[in-house]
Amino acid sequence: MKSSTLLLPLFPLLAATAGGCTSQVDDIETPDLTSPAALPIGIFVGRTTFQSSPVTVISTALVEPNGRMVVVGDRAEYLASGIYSTAGRGFNAQLRFHLPNLRNEDGAPLVAPSSADFIGTYNPQVDFTGTFVRSDGENGSMNFIYDAQTEVVPDLRTLVGTWSNADAFGDSSISFTFVNGGGFSGLDSAGCRYTDAEAQIINGRYNLYRVQFSRTCIGEPAATLFAGLMTVVSRTEAGRTTNQMILTGSNSTAAVSFQLTEAR
């Protein structure tokens, strides 16, 4: 077994453990949402607060116009993926929390799986906020502010090149190479290969991409298929501004999250 941090299975439709491979991707039916300008769509930055540790996590949320969303801790403390619906200014979601967690020598998870229901409100192109309750008894809140970089026009040509960084969910490093048309491939330090990978523009109005890819790891009998959301934003840390790719993927049993920097 590769030495990496693994994710646990969670609720029936959205769960996590990066250890066992499966070819099943999310097949949740998403709601038919209309009037995109009035929906909580885009890139959001903010905080997720938990009743227990970690208490507060700086996070990024990606909310697409077709009813799917991903919220991830900026240091990969957690990843929540699921579907949302709206009524007036009400914002409700069913989320699958993927938590980084080591497994024991027998491969069994060390933490029980859990699901979550999120209930909140939103203001288009301003913010969204609300609370969640997980089936394991954990509860908390999310408070996010709209990032104007949502309005950067998505362009597959800007992805071309190599993007790399550490994978906080376990692997020490990973590198993805994007080619014209949105295709990409990758390799991490544990020897896992990412193939059959593609990024697609969801809507020309939003700086969001839908991604799908397959991961094949040494010693695992079959590939694991992932589907998720991605964006590229400008971030400044320690006085240095870089382009950062936030790439997420999940299925019914596993999740990964990468924050990648463009190679120069």
Side-chain angles (χ1 to χ4, degrees):
M1 171 179 275
K2 68 189 181 89
S3 62
S4 65
T5 303
L6 300 178
L7 305 176
L8 300 184
L10 295 179
F11 86 96
L13 296 177
L14 299 119
T17 29
C21 279
T22 176
S23 60
Q24 180 182 1
V25 295
D26 286 345
D27 56 2
I28 300 172
E29 293 185 3
T30 59
D32 182 15
L33 302 172
T34 57
S35 303
L39 296 175
I41 297 169
I43 306 162
F44 294 82
V45 293
R47 297 175 182 272
T48 298
T49 301
F50 295 88
Q51 180 184 39
S52 61
S53 180
V55 177
T56 300
V57 179
I58 298 173
S59 308
T60 299
L62 306 180
V63 184
E64 62 136 292
N66 297 317
R68 291 186 179 274
M69 64 182 292
V70 173
V71 188
V72 62
D74 282 5
R75 297 188 181 279
E77 295 90 340
Y78 73 97
L79 183 149
S81 63
I83 58 175
Y84 73 91
S85 61
T86 62
R89 289 291 180 261
F91 182 23
N92 301 327
Q94 293 178 303
L95 298 174
R96 175 191 298 154
F97 269 78
H98 305 267
L99 304 176
N101 190 69
L102 295 176
R103 301 172 71 82
N104 64 27
E105 294 180 356
D106 297 325
L110 299 179
V111 176
S114 66
S115 60
D117 291 321
F118 173 85
I119 300 176
T121 59
Y122 74 95
N123 293 294
Q125 298 182 312
V126 178
D127 59 17
F128 79 83
T129 184
T131 59
F132 64 86
V133 178
R134 289 199 330 221
S135 59
D136 62 358
E138 176 68 276
N139 61 70
S141 62
M142 293 183 180
N143 295 276
F144 284 87
I145 297 173
Y146 179 78
D147 187 337
Q149 292 183 86
T150 297
E151 298 158 30
V152 173
V153 176
D155 187 344
L156 294 175
R157 293 172 298 181
T158 65
L159 306 179
V160 174
T162 299
W163 302 74
S164 61
N165 211 334
D167 168 16
F169 277 99
D171 298 316
S172 60
S173 64
I174 188 165
S175 177
F176 286 98
T177 299
F178 283 74
V179 299
N180 290 324
F184 64 97
S185 60
L187 177 67
D188 66 31
S189 61
C192 295
R193 295 186 177 277
Y194 298 77
T195 58
D196 302 321
E198 183 180 16
Q200 298 177 328
I201 295 172
I202 299 172
N203 184 307
R205 299 170 58 184
Y206 310 107
N207 180 18
L208 296 170
Y209 302 82
R210 186 177 293 116
V211 295
Q212 59 184 19
F213 52 92
S214 174
R215 185 188 67 188
T216 304
C217 296
I218 298 172
E220 295 182 345
T224 304
L225 305 182
F226 293 88
L229 299 176
M230 184 186 83
T231 189
V232 176
V233 294
S234 176
R235 292 281 174 86
T236 300
E237 296 182 6
R240 181 170 176 256
T241 300
T242 60
N243 288 329
Q244 185 178 87
M245 176 182 289
I246 301 172
L247 193 161
T248 68
S250 65
N251 58 35
S252 61
T253 61
V256 291
S257 173
F258 307 107
Q259 294 200 24
L260 309 166
T261 302
E262 186 178 19
R264 296 184 181 274

